[in-house]
Amino acid sequence: MNKICIIGVGLIGGSFALGLKNTQKIKIVGFGRHEAHLQEAQKLGAIDTYSLDIVTALSGVDLVLIATPVNSFKNIFEMIKPHINEQTIISDVGSTKGSVIATAKEVFGAMPENFVPAHPIAGKEQSGVDAADGALFNNKLVILTPTENANTRSVTQVRALWEALGAKVEIMDDKTHDDLLAMTSHLPHMLAFSLMDYLTGNGKNVLDYAAGGFKDFSRIASSDASMWRDICFNNSSDIIKHIKGFQGSLDKIVDFIEEGKTQEIEQLFIDAKMARDNWLKDK
Amino acid sequence: MNKICIIGVGLIGGSFALGLKNTQKIKIVGFGRHEAHLQEAQKLGAIDTYSLDIVTALSGVDLVLIATPVNSFKNIFEMIKPHINEQTIISDVGSTKGSVIATAKEVFGAMPENFVPAHPIAGKEQSGVDAADGALFNNKLVILTPTENANTRSVTQVRALWEALGAKVEIMDDKTHDDLLAMTSHLPHMLAFSLMDYLTGNGKNVLDYAAGGFKDFSRIASSDASMWRDICFNNSSDIIKHIKGFQGSLDKIVDFIEEGKTQEIEQLFIDAKMARDNWLKDK
């Protein structure tokens, strides 16, 4: 692989680029709407060059990585479609995968064989290329969700790029990905947003009585609102399914309390603590 | 005030003692069941002396502070009752207040006028006197919930001790306290325990796909199970009320997603982020 175009050189696109510049001899071209951001990315050494013109940006590239918000993908697919050829590998870093594949099928007519959807399970609270870090994906999981018709060469090459950044790559179908992420990421975010909504609805000074533990618990409620709005609507059925499933777990705690089941509730808390402590050991 | 007895010299009792030793000329006697813990507390300078005998421990004290788990209070009240006089101030650091007052009324016949229930809104993940810190309550909130018959002198003296440790003291009734803490502390803990319960119930490898944000969000699920079992049953009606109220907030998100209300959901997330960011400014 000689040349890559990154569309959207922010935190994730910029970290991917920086990591590759540190380890590989690949020319990286940035594309975006804001020249100042691209200039900054170039100054930071993430990209070799940039263009505001998509034809120039895609010229001669082996791979195009789309690292913009998922809701922009339809426009981007339409924009790149006339300027890529059958050899160009397409990948993305969107946090929902079923919706990306559906949009690709809509724009390209069918899922391109060389499109390898990806989702790095890594991030930061900050955004923008200033926060980019070439080591962001080191020892982190990256999930690829190629469709059945995917070209093996494309999958292998995308996998190799992430592995060059130190990532552990796992391949699964998009439905499994979206279901898993609804549980481990989307549901906790809904709980955190919802808790702030509930507490602020109960009088504005309730939060004055929140202590240290609340700071960590509520951190993800400070996440970007428009990004999470898009995730909600790009993975709506899984999110709704798991909110309702979670409410069943909450109902169980209410039942235990109402029925005076002290042993059952203590066991639930012991198991929860053990699951969390065991999970933490691997982190 | 010349002499204080602390029953249960762990994280909270030990931090209270260390803070006082740093700022006040008060003799502090430790009482507990485990001599090794009391020896450690003495070695750390938290207490001047200790006794395993309650009569000796309470001899000549102006105040007794109960810093053991709330479910031990009935036994402790019964144990100290014969050995204190009308001048002895009683206080505690239990995290539920209605149940403490109810237990005191049960054992003493009526709420003692010199009993000033307290709850410092501060803590650590660790427990035990080894984790004690004389600065733990500096700039932290301490809530006092004296009953209507409380002796003003006792309230003033308990307040002054906490203020000597740098705490901000607020007085409210026990019902208000328990309702507020159910929202800001008990509810988030139930959500964290419940989330671990839900995710582990969905296949044991779901957690493999959890990322960095999950670590902070789930931290409080690593809290002590028996302590939280007791909190559940000592503040059951407020906890159930707020779990159900919170489920209403979750239902609202489900409705917004199902009805395609993108603007409403984004506004909810914006407001949540703003509330959390504003709260954080004061921390």
Side-chain angles (χ1 to χ4, degrees), chain A residues 170 197-198 206-207 209 215-219 221-222 229 242 247 252 266 273 276-277 279, chain B residues 170 184 197-198 207 209 215-219 221-222 229 242 247 251-252 266 273 276-277 279:
Chain A
E170 194 168 328
D197 178 47
Y198 179 63
V206 168
L207 288 176
Y209 303 93
K215 185 173 166 178
D216 284 338
F217 186 79
S218 64
R219 176 160 294 141
S222 288
R229 174 203 61 205
H242 289 300
Q247 288 187 315
K252 187 164 67 176
E266 183 174 4
K273 177 178 166 59
R276 201 254 172 191
D277 291 349
W279 170 77
Chain B
E170 194 168 328
T184 57
D197 179 48
Y198 180 64
L207 288 175
Y209 303 93
K215 185 173 167 179
D216 285 337
F217 186 78
S218 63
R219 176 160 295 142
S222 287
R229 173 203 63 203
H242 289 300
Q247 288 188 317
D251 289 338
K252 188 165 65 176
E266 183 173 5
K273 177 178 166 58
R276 201 253 172 192
D277 291 349
W279 171 76

Side-chain angles (χ1 to χ4, degrees), chain A residues 47-66:
Chain A
I47 55 176
D48 296 292
T49 177
Y50 66 83
S51 178
L52 300 171
D53 170 54
I54 194 65
V55 182
T56 310
L58 292 176
S59 171
V61 302
D62 302 298
L63 181 145
V64 52
L65 182 81
I66 305 167

